[in-house]
Amino acid sequence: MRPLLLSLALLTVSAAPALAQVDHQSAMRDLDVLNQQQMQLQRSVALENQLSTLEAKVQTEQRLRDIDAIRTRPSLTLPSGPRAVGTTNADGYVSIPDDMLAASNARVRAASQNRR
């Protein structure tokens, strides 16, 4: 029994260093790959942040241009002076005098006959 215990003890002592040994090159490669993945993740996050910032700037500039265009747009309201051509009848429709309508019709016909 004693030789059996002695041989088991000898085997466990000799096996312990074998289990504790680590392949350092493999561990270094794994750490290097992990480090590269982390760096790529950080780069992608930084690029995404820059892209978001640029998109926000473009949207802001577009909105400012829209506001500026609204400010410089001409007014669509009619002047409050007398009407130039027609008058409004009782039904709310504009009526043009017959002589002005005939003159306009003659000008249109003359322009349509004048083909180049």
Side-chain angles (χ1 to χ4, degrees), residues 58-73:
V58 166
Q59 287 177 356
T60 302
E61 290 174 1
Q62 179 64 40
R63 288 182 182 136
L64 288 174
R65 280 193 300 266
D66 291 345
I67 289 172
D68 192 37
I70 290 171
R71 286 183 187 157
T72 58
R73 212 176 269 168

Side-chain angles (χ1 to χ4, degrees), residues 87-102:
T87 58
T88 306
N89 60 13
D91 295 333
Y93 298 109
V94 176
S95 65
I96 300 174
D98 290 334
D99 59 336
M100 291 181 76
L101 189 58

Side-chain angles (χ1 to χ4, degrees), residues 1-47:
M1 177 93 171
R2 195 169 201 201
L4 182 63
L5 288 174
L6 187 60
S7 64
L8 283 175
L10 185 61
L11 283 174
T12 56
V13 170
S14 65
L19 291 176
Q21 289 179 354
V22 178
D23 184 14
H24 292 293
Q25 289 179 347
S26 175
M28 291 299 284
R29 273 181 275 158
D30 291 344
L31 286 175
D32 190 38
V33 167
L34 242 155
N35 188 20
Q36 288 176 359
Q37 288 175 348
Q38 282 291 343
M39 287 174 31
Q40 288 175 352
L41 180 65
Q42 288 176 354
R43 279 190 210 122
S44 68
V45 168
L47 287 174

